[in-house]
Amino acid sequence: MAVNYSPPTPESLLPVPGIRLGTAAAHVKNWERDDVVLIEAAPGTVAAGVFTRNAFCAAPVTVSRRHLDEQHAQRLDFRALVINAGNANAGTGDEGLAATEATCVRAAQLANCAPAEVLAFSTGVIMEPLPVDRVVDGIGKALATLRDDGWFAAARAIMTTDTVPKAASRRIDVNGFPVTVTGIAKGSGMIHPDMATMLAFIATDAPIAAPVLAAMTREVANASFNRASVDGDTSTNDSLVIAATAKAGLASIVGRDDPRLALVRGAIEEVAVELAQAIVRDGEGATKFITIDVAGGRDVDECRRIAFAIAHSPLVKTAFFASDPNLGRIVCAIGNAAPPDLDSRAVSFRLDDVLVVDHGGRAASYTEEQGQRVMKGDEITIRVDLGRGDAHATVWTCDFSHDYVSINADYRS
């Protein structure tokens, strides 16, 4: 089960005016559960997305990226989104692209819109042909279940190796108008920016102009999902979509300097961070949630590079699983990622409140018992100070357990 993560309840997820969600069992894989999601957006909705940089990106990523570009260029609406679990439709060539286009055409027929106003996403096994007839049939079945409070069912339907559904909501007041934000995500393994085997869909009823929403979506991704890593593998299918239905009653937010945007972005970012951390807490086989904060760097990129080096080290991750304070592994990870001009004598780090390394050497106050006390916890913070600047960066990761190997060895069986 996920580390210190309480899954949402259906009642905790707030409907977003202008959004309805339906699910169905299309049997994409041999699962006796819903595995197709149809999300319907009201006319006037705009959307923005951030996608994987994996050169082998999945067919739905290619198609959805193109459709979003068409929506922005032609001022089309975003009207529907389809997600299937159980098959990633990645590494499938032209056949996969045709399958995604067929999915969008079917959803467009049901939503009475143009195919370019539809986005489609897939998650699951890579390099297997998508059973498109099943997915298309599932879309029709999902149409019959559309409801504004369908967020929880949708979060469950997109799960693969996830052990819990992941979803979150916020409601804020903006100039006397209630504004709602709700989102769902899936992901458990193959998690690393940019972004992860991760799908996330967040909606708000705030009225945000498309160019403003696009810039904000990139910023939100960098503050949340691009700080999460389970195993250092970037997936072929990573996608984050944020939609704004403009049903809140506010005048449209058309400028980046509009003070209302900061309020809305704050709520959206809170939802995104909660979802990103939930993915790490539910990392395949995870038993510990680890925050890595690197400060004192010359720039953010330097701090991020060192933080991710610690997060990705199998030696560090397995030591945390064993609660073994073999902390030379962290020193090694820092050194491997550090630029040549970093003076190791300036570097210090702590485990929670325990000073381990003080200006390049083992702290005089440090004891093995202190290290083991911290390592036995299920929430641990590593604080590194590079001692040469004001920049900092924070990432989230988890340990590697025996179950991580078992889950991935058995995934296709």
Side-chain angles (χ1 to χ4, degrees):
M1 294 297 289
V3 180
N4 296 338
Y5 176 66
S6 298
T9 63
E11 298 76 23
S12 69
L13 301 176
L14 304 172
V16 175
I19 297 291
R20 296 197 301 164
L21 307 93
T23 65
H27 307 293
V28 175
K29 200 175 178 183
N30 296 322
W31 291 332
E32 293 301 321
R33 65 166 176 86
D34 288 358
D35 56 2
V36 167
V37 176
L38 173 64
I39 300 177
E40 176 196 70
T45 300
V46 296
V50 177
F51 302 95
T52 182
R53 295 183 185 180
N54 190 306
F56 240 112
C57 66
V61 171
T62 298
V63 172
S64 292
R65 185 187 282 127
R66 184 172 71 243
H67 283 188
L68 271 178
D69 288 344
E70 291 178 34
Q71 289 174 27
H72 294 167
Q74 302 176 34
R75 297 188 178 181
L76 300 174
D77 292 341
F78 162 68
R79 294 298 314 281
L81 185 147
V82 177
I83 309 168
N84 76 266
N87 184 301
N89 194 12
T92 49
D94 290 342
E95 180 183 349
L97 292 171
T100 299
E101 294 285 12
T103 299
C104 291
V105 167
R106 179 54 176 156
Q109 292 171 342
L110 297 175
N112 193 27
C113 68
E117 295 177 296
V118 178
L119 307 180
F121 298 103
S122 301
T123 181
V125 178
I126 295 171
M127 291 191 69
E128 294 287 340
L130 182 73
V132 64
D133 291 343
R134 298 182 198 174
V135 174
V136 167
D137 183 60
I139 297 170
K141 293 176 180 176
L143 179 73
T145 70
L146 286 173
R147 47 194 290 177
D148 61 4
D149 62 349
W151 290 94
F152 184 78
R156 287 192 303 181
I158 62 176
M159 293 168 57
T160 52
T161 58
D162 308 61
T163 67
V164 291
K166 303 168 181 72
S169 285
R170 297 291 189 276
R171 180 166 286 152
I172 58 172
D173 181 276
V174 180
N175 292 357
F177 292 91
V179 170
T180 304
V181 178
T182 296
I184 59 174
K186 66 80 50 185
S188 188
M190 205 182 284
I191 300 293
H192 172 54
D194 301 303
M195 291 174 319
T197 177
M198 185 217 89
L199 300 180
F201 175 74
I202 299 172
T204 179
D205 55 350
I208 307 174
V212 177
L213 183 65
M216 186 196 71
T217 299
R218 291 190 293 271
E219 294 167 354
V220 167
N222 285 334
S224 56
F225 298 107
N226 282 344
R227 292 166 60 184
S229 183
V230 168
D231 48 22
D233 275 330
T234 300
S235 167
T236 54
N237 292 61
D238 308 342
S239 303
L240 162 66
V241 172
I242 301 179
T245 68
K247 296 295 184 182
L250 293 163
S252 184
I253 299 172
V254 297
R256 299 288 305 279
D257 57 349
D258 190 319
R260 298 172 300 164
L261 181 64
L263 296 173
V264 176
R265 175 188 159 167
I268 292 173
E269 193 170 298
E270 282 185 16
V271 167
V273 168
E274 183 172 335
L275 294 175
Q277 290 190 357
I279 287 171
V280 175
R281 292 179 184 279
D282 195 29
E284 291 169 342
T287 68
K288 300 177 191 290
F289 177 80
I290 304 163
T291 299
I292 304 170
D293 185 75
V294 178
R298 286 184 178 167
D299 55 49
V300 172
D301 286 344
E302 175 178 273
C303 295
R304 278 173 55 90
R305 187 166 58 251
I306 291 173
F308 277 121
I310 298 169
H312 296 159
S313 167
L315 293 177
V316 171
K317 295 165 84 70
T318 51
F320 274 101
F321 170 65
S323 300
D324 175 19
N326 188 353
L327 301 177
R329 293 179 174 184
I330 296 176
V331 171
C332 184
I334 294 171
N336 282 333
D341 63 345
L342 178 69
D343 184 354
S344 63
R345 293 169 299 180
V347 178
S348 303
F349 81 79
R350 294 177 180 269
L351 281 180
D352 285 356
D353 59 335
V354 176
L355 181 63
V356 179
V357 168
D358 185 14
H359 290 87
R362 177 170 172 149
S365 60
Y366 176 72
T367 67
E368 184 92 354
E369 291 74 22
Q370 289 176 320
Q372 193 159 59
R373 170 179 62 80
V374 175
M375 297 280 275
K376 285 182 176 179
D378 51 18
E379 301 236 7
I380 302 165
T381 299
I382 301 170
R383 304 183 193 278
V384 179
D385 185 354
L386 300 179
R388 65 185 203 153
D390 298 322
H392 73 92
T394 302
V395 305
W396 308 297
T397 192
C398 58
D399 59 336
F400 269 168
S401 70
H402 302 296
D403 286 344
Y404 179 86
V405 176
S406 298
I407 290 166
N408 282 283
D410 296 339
Y411 179 58
R412 294 207 310 153
S413 57

